[in-house]
Amino acid sequence: MSDPIQMISALLNEIAGRADVEGSVEWYLRSNLIDYKRVLLRRTSSEEIEFATGALMRFCAEHLDASAPLYQDCAEVAEEGAKMAAQLKAAHP
């Protein structure tokens, strides 16, 4: 399993220049990724991570081209976050 926290950090670095344009897709994506990273770092509950994963994927599906690399990166982050939720759920049934 890849580390979703590191993946988010790398993706934030990748979009940094474009994310400074208020109202751009990258600007909104940065906000979503920062919120998602906070949830993953807290590891409060698997349900919270699952909810946040769903929210991130909805944003990506609604605002990004599914064939674009940015969408693929976003989906990979969400997939790793979902794995983290599953591990947390298994550890605390």
Side-chain angles (χ1 to χ4, degrees):
M1 176 172 87
S2 298
D3 180 5
I5 304 302
Q6 289 179 347
M7 293 171 73
I8 292 169
S9 296
L11 188 51
L12 286 169
N13 287 335
E14 180 182 323
I15 66 169
R18 297 171 289 172
D20 288 338
V21 179
E22 186 172 344
S24 69
V25 171
E26 292 86 357
W27 187 76
Y28 288 108
L29 178 58
R30 176 177 59 192
S31 177
N32 279 275
L33 289 171
I34 290 170
D35 290 345
Y36 191 56
K37 186 176 181 179
R38 285 185 187 131
V39 169
L40 295 181
L41 287 169
R42 277 197 308 263
R43 291 186 170 106
T44 305
S45 71
S46 59
E47 291 83 11
E48 182 182 27
I49 294 172
E50 289 168 352
F51 181 81
T53 300
L56 178 62
M57 279 312 300
R58 275 189 303 283
F59 172 82
C60 293
E62 292 173 5
H63 300 284
L64 301 174
D65 177 357
S67 63
L70 192 54
Y71 177 89
Q72 300 302 320
D73 291 342
C74 189
E76 287 177 24
V77 165
E79 183 179 328
E80 293 304 319
K83 289 177 186 176
M84 181 184 283
Q87 287 179 339
L88 189 59
K89 186 180 278 187
H92 305 284

